[in-house]
């Protein structure tokens, strides 16, 4: 049996300044240097990474595109510089992520820190209630929509241009 739908009264939703949130990941201490040796991997994982690298190499040698699909952990674990290097060197041609990936990316660009405690913030009703994150991502999307741009380009432009101009 499906429970009855109850509309959310947006007047009762409370948002909080992002500066007040305790963040678990800070930009200065999280970025991984792609020039450093990779960590040792176990047999099965090492084999998977080798096979993936071979498939990427084969695709690029044929002139095919390579899409990296990733989630928030790639961002909050500091792999941005590694991804940037893969793009700059022509190994990756496209990126695809989820909403959490873009939230972490935007928060790092805006505040230099990201990631809140699920364990601490869900019980208090504050998880995901950070004013600037929601407001600025939506402003970016509105500005991009006026240009006919999609989510990724809209948010990327917002970060690159440090804001958006709306009519």
């Amino acid at each position: 049996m499906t429970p009855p739908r109850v509309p959310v009264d947006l007047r009762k939703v409370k948002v909080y300044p992002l500066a007040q949130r305790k963040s678990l990941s800070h930009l200065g201490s999280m970025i991984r240097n792609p020039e450093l040796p990779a960590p040792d991997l176990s047999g099965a994982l090492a084999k998977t990474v080798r096979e993936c690298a071979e498939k990427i190499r084969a695709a690029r040698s044929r002139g095919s595109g390579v899409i990296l699909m990733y989630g928030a952990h790639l961002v909050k674990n500091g792999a941005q510089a590694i991804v940037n290097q893969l793009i700059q060197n022509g190994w990756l041609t496209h990126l695809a992520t989820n909403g959490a990936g873009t939230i972490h990316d935007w928060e790092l660009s805006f505040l230099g820190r990201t990631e809140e405690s699920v364990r601490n913030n869900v019980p208090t009703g504050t998880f995901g209630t950070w004013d600037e994150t929601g407001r600025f991502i939506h402003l970016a999307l509105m500005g991009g929509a006026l240009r006919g741009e999609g989510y990724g380009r809209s948010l990327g432009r917002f970060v690159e241009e440090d804001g958006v101009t709306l009519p």
Side-chain angles (χ1 to χ4, degrees), residues 14-15 29 34-35 56 61 64 71 82 91 98-99 109 114 118 121 132 148 150:
K14 293 182 182 174
V15 294
S29 62
E35 302 301 325
I56 291 171
S61 70
S64 297
I82 297 167
W91 295 110
N98 57 19
S109 298
T114 191
V118 174
N121 294 357
E132 297 87 350

Side-chain angles (χ1 to χ4, degrees), residues 91-105:
W91 295 110
L92 299 177
T93 58
H94 298 80
L95 300 177
T97 190
N98 57 19
T102 61
I103 287 169
H104 288 306
D105 196 35

Side-chain angles (χ1 to χ4, degrees), residues 30-149:
M30 65 188 280
I31 298 297
R32 304 293 175 235
N33 183 347
E35 302 301 325
L36 294 177
D40 290 331
L41 302 176
S42 67
L45 187 54
K47 181 181 179 213
T48 300
V49 169
R50 270 194 313 277
E51 289 172 356
C52 182
E54 289 168 9
K55 289 178 181 181
I56 291 171
R57 190 177 300 112
R60 295 308 292 140
S61 70
R62 293 189 308 271
S64 297
V66 175
I67 300 172
L68 173 64
M69 299 172 70
Y70 63 95
H73 283 81
L74 181 139
V75 177
K76 71 181 190 175
N77 289 325
Q80 300 92 315
I82 297 167
V83 172
N84 287 345
Q85 188 178 71
L86 289 169
I87 292 168
Q88 290 166 350
N89 291 334
W91 295 110
L92 299 177
T93 58
H94 298 80
L95 300 177
T97 190
N98 57 19
T102 61
I103 287 169
H104 288 306
D105 196 35
W106 181 84
E107 287 182 354
L108 289 167
S109 298
F110 178 72
L111 196 61
R113 57 187 173 90
T114 191
E115 189 183 9
E116 62 184 299
S117 171
V118 174
R119 177 173 285 140
N120 293 338
N121 294 357
V122 167
T124 63
T126 59
F127 184 80
T129 59
W130 309 105
D131 177 39
E132 297 87 350
T133 302
R135 183 162 33 102
F136 289 140
I137 288 176
H138 283 90
L139 281 172
L141 300 181
M142 287 190 321
L146 293 171
R147 292 186 187 92
E149 296 173 345

